[in-house]
Amino acid sequence: MSDETIEAGSESASPVKRLLRPVRGRLGVAVGLAALGQVLVLVPLAGIALIAKLALGEGAGDASGGIWDIVFVSLACLLIGMALLTAGELLAHLADNWLTVRLRRSMVERLSQVPLGWFSDNASAKVRHAVQDDVTTLHELTAHYYTTRGRCVGAMAVSVVYLLAMDWRLAVLSLLPFPLFHLIFGAAKKSISEERLQDFIAGQNRIGNAVVEFIDGIPVVKAFGATGRAHAAYRDAVDGFQRAFLRFTGPLVAPLANANAIIAPVTVLAVALACGAVFVRQGWIEAVDVLPFVLVAPGISGPMMLLGFLGHAVANATGAAGRILALLETPLLGQPAPGAAEEPRDAEIRFEAVRYAYDGKGDAVHDVSFTLEPGTVTAVVGPSGAGKSTIARLLLRFFDPDGGQITLGGVDLRRMAPPDLYRRVGFVLQDVRLIHASLHDNIALGRPSSSRQEVEAAARAAGIHDRIAALPRGYETVVGEEVRLSGGEEQRVGIARAVLLDPPVLVLDEATAAADAETEAAVQDALSRFARGRTLLVIAHRLDTIMHADRIIVMDRGRIVETGDHAALLARGGCYARLWQAGAYGDPDVPQAAGLEVQP
């Protein structure tokens, strides 16, 4: 890792160490400042004990000058110590801010280069948890844990050294509760297995995913009255987390209560007073010599307890760092080396013996070969699960084929830079995603530099201009905040995006599947106007929408089983004819819908 970017390496170091390596030096300085500052802040306690000894000892009347010197030194140390503590905290927070910005930037840059298909397999809650929650968890470690640990270690170290210097015998007896605390606390920690810790973390993640899924599904739940079943997933996640939480914390409750009672300040004070009384009675020390132990020994309890609880921050940060690194190590979409990208000669698309399997188990498409001639319309149809959408997503490089190749104008897609590919291949999918921005910015998403006139022209071509113009703020209306568009309207915004890009190749994946009859007619009309003269690949369930295609490819179980035009495929009486009859389109010689009629 460099000091300017956060990159996932292959080192065997722990996830936390790997992520914090760029700021390790700054954190080390911050810890040193915090420890030294805490030492100086405790100097006034020693000053109080020394003043008491001077005031109560022999020659107390002549000690006023020395007392004022002690007061001055104590106050100076206190102020310097507070300044050092502030400097340490400031440096730690600056290091954390640097790391937070670089981590989030690195994750976003990484996500922008992963295959688009990766997002289909990973819940949005998982990405949000890593980018937001896990980075926040690391903030607790980077900005607070190390400096707090430095203060605690500094306070305990200087206190022990000071007490040993005063009287090592009384110091050993006064500090006996602390080794006992470590014995009990250490035994309790050993009772917690790594498996229980991972179950606890996994339970937290399941609750986050369940909440997101439940909220996203509220409209469907209300529409179908499935409230009980919808709550079940969330209840199961909460119940599972409760079980994991009890398994994780159960073995700690009693030991921690006993251990904390042993090192409670009142307990340590009682031990110091009791032992001091014995020493005074035996004549080994003066009564005033017990004061340092009474003032300092109980003060070790707070840092000791705090160090015990800080272990939870490390455990949480370790899990968070692991998830962040997993995101940073997500496989990237293959890209040509700088200067090695090739330019397609035309808009011809070729699938050559293409094979692809999801998760490496069973080919979703197998040995698929066909050609999309420039300016022609090719439709891909077949029963559910035949591999139709996989074909579209392979062409759009949602993922790369496991075998064979796909070429555009004679160039393997893997030898094209993604921006070059998406300038030449536009798409309108069934599920159009609009961002939280103005309608102008949503349409201009692929060409942010587009003028208002160009955006409006694209909206007119997509049949959505009148709807936008009727809004109070027109194209400046923010989606999701000032207006909620219907499914058909979102589809037409998606078409406007594609129109603005003006690509020579267009992929339509069931673009009207969720539209009603009126909306479908408007969307089909917009698509028909836009698709003229382009190389068009259409994925459709409804056969009446692709009757006029130049060629229809019929797929079943990941393979091409038939090709031809509508009339030829019906006459053949094969899979296409059976699909047509199953769709109840009536007389196969009489078209039932105009469908997507495109003139090449």
Side-chain angles (χ1 to χ4, degrees):
M1 297 184 189
S2 70
D3 199 48
E4 293 300 327
T5 58
I6 304 295
E7 298 178 352
S10 58
E11 300 93 337
S12 59
S14 71
V16 171
K17 289 182 178 180
R18 291 171 62 185
L19 288 183
L20 298 188
R21 181 169 298 170
V23 295
R24 184 171 56 187
R26 280 170 275 185
L27 289 179
V29 174
V31 170
L33 292 174
L36 180 58
Q38 189 63 43
V39 169
L40 294 177
V41 165
L42 292 177
V43 168
L45 291 179
I48 292 173
L50 186 55
I51 289 172
K53 191 167 186 177
L54 289 176
L56 299 176
E58 295 181 3
D62 301 325
S64 60
I67 290 175
W68 284 110
D69 291 341
I70 295 172
V71 170
F72 175 78
V73 171
S74 297
L75 287 175
C77 288
L78 178 62
L79 294 175
I80 295 172
M82 292 175 65
L84 291 177
L85 287 173
T86 301
E89 293 292 340
L90 177 61
L91 184 58
H93 278 79
L94 290 175
D96 171 70
N97 288 341
W98 185 95
L99 184 67
T100 296
V101 170
R102 271 30 177 221
L103 277 178
R104 287 184 169 142
R105 183 178 297 169
S106 296
M107 284 190 283
V108 170
E109 289 176 355
R110 188 79 177 190
L111 291 175
S112 69
Q113 301 176 59
V114 302
L116 295 177
W118 181 87
F119 294 96
S120 301
D121 302 327
N122 294 270
S124 59
K126 175 181 176 181
V127 177
R128 180 195 61 78
H129 195 279
V131 175
Q132 181 174 323
D133 298 344
D134 287 336
V135 173
T136 301
T137 299
L138 278 183
H139 160 79
E140 296 298 326
L141 186 80
T142 312
H144 302 290
Y145 169 79
Y146 290 105
T147 51
T148 302
R149 186 179 180 87
R151 293 200 309 272
C152 291
V153 171
M156 292 189 298
V158 72
S159 297
V160 170
V161 170
Y162 173 68
L163 294 179
L164 288 173
M166 293 296 98
D167 190 296
W168 69 269
R169 301 163 301 172
L170 185 54
V172 169
L173 293 176
S174 299
L175 299 177
L176 276 179
F178 299 106
L180 188 58
F181 166 83
H182 274 291
L183 289 175
I184 299 174
F185 188 72
K189 286 178 63 177
K190 290 180 180 178
S191 68
I192 301 176
S193 65
E194 181 66 21
E195 178 186 359
R196 291 182 179 181
L197 176 60
Q198 294 305 320
D199 286 346
F200 175 76
I201 296 172
Q204 289 179 311
N205 292 336
R206 281 194 295 271
I207 287 180
N209 288 335
V211 169
V212 173
E213 291 169 3
F214 175 71
I215 292 175
D216 288 345
I218 283 178
V220 177
V221 169
K222 289 186 175 181
F224 291 93
T227 306
R229 291 192 298 273
H231 282 91
Y234 177 69
R235 284 200 305 268
D236 291 344
V238 172
D239 291 342
F241 175 72
Q242 181 185 32
R243 290 190 294 271
F245 178 78
L246 292 176
R247 287 184 63 216
F248 177 67
T249 59
L252 291 174
V253 175
L256 279 181
N258 294 331
N260 288 332
I262 289 173
I263 64 166
V266 65
T267 304
V268 177
L269 177 61
V271 172
L273 284 174
C275 294
V278 172
F279 275 51
V280 172
R281 187 176 182 85
Q282 296 296 323
W284 297 337
I285 60 175
E286 298 293 330
V288 73
D289 294 329
V290 180
L291 185 59
F293 297 89
V294 172
L295 290 173
V296 175
I300 301 176
S301 300
M304 184 72 72
M305 289 182 180
L306 188 54
L307 277 180
F309 289 115
L310 286 176
H312 296 298
V314 176
N316 291 336
T318 300
R323 290 187 291 273
I324 290 172
L325 282 176
L327 197 63
L328 290 173
E329 292 170 349
T330 302
L332 298 178
L333 186 67
Q335 299 193 40
E342 301 180 19
E343 289 288 327
R345 63 174 181 270
D346 54 31
E348 181 188 70
I349 302 287
R350 284 183 178 272
F351 279 65
E352 301 175 2
V354 170
R355 176 176 56 82
Y356 180 76
Y358 292 98
D359 299 326
K361 298 178 181 178
D363 288 348
V365 294
H366 182 75
D367 196 26
V368 171
S369 298
F370 61 86
T371 301
L372 305 181
E373 299 291 346
T376 63
V377 179
T378 302
V380 180
V381 301
S384 179
K388 305 184 297 297
S389 292
T390 302
I391 292 293
R393 281 156 173 72
L394 284 168
L395 176 54
L396 297 171
R397 287 202 77 190
F398 275 43
F399 24 72
D400 288 327
D402 297 326
Q405 67 174 357
I406 305 171
T407 63
L408 170 60
V411 178
D412 191 320
L413 299 187
R414 289 168 289 199
R415 297 188 60 80
M416 293 180 63
D420 293 337
L421 172 64
Y422 295 125
R423 278 197 298 268
R424 291 173 170 83
V425 180
F427 55 91
V428 181
L429 305 182
Q430 176 181 349
D431 185 17
V432 174
R433 297 296 178 91
L434 303 183
I435 63 173
H436 184 77
S438 69
L439 284 164
H440 176 280
D441 291 342
N442 268 280
I443 294 174
L445 193 62
R447 280 181 55 193
S449 60
S450 300
S451 67
R452 174 57 59 84
Q453 290 75 19
E454 290 173 324
V455 169
E456 290 184 7
R460 285 191 177 93
I464 192 66
H465 171 73
D466 291 342
R467 171 73 171 98
I468 297 175
L471 296 170
R473 297 206 319 133
Y475 283 84
E476 296 305 315
T477 303
V478 177
V479 175
E481 183 176 308
E482 298 177 88
V483 66
R484 294 191 180 276
L485 302 179
S486 67
E489 290 168 344
E490 289 183 345
Q491 288 286 359
R492 278 177 274 176
V493 171
I495 296 171
R497 284 176 180 167
V499 171
L500 192 61
L501 285 173
D502 193 26
V505 179
L506 183 62
V507 179
L508 307 178
D509 186 0
E510 301 183 34
T512 62
D516 56 33
E518 181 180 355
T519 300
E520 180 181 11
V523 173
Q524 291 283 17
D525 182 61
L527 287 173
S528 297
R529 291 196 305 271
F530 173 54
R532 291 189 181 98
R534 304 177 193 278
T535 304
L536 193 61
L537 177 66
V538 182
I539 310 297
H541 275 309
R542 292 182 51 188
L543 304 187
D544 60 334
T545 63
I546 47 86
M547 290 167 35
H548 302 284
D550 297 298
R551 183 169 59 154
I552 299 172
I553 297 173
V554 185
M555 297 192 65
D556 190 16
R557 298 181 182 179
R559 298 174 182 269
I560 296 177
V561 294
E562 291 179 318
T563 60
D565 60 21
H566 173 71
L569 290 172
L570 285 180
R572 191 174 300 170
C575 181
Y576 182 82
R578 291 193 297 273
L579 289 172
W580 180 269
Q581 292 167 359
Y585 296 111
D587 187 344
D589 295 324
V590 181
Q592 303 297 306
L596 182 61
E597 186 171 1
V598 181
Q599 300 298 327

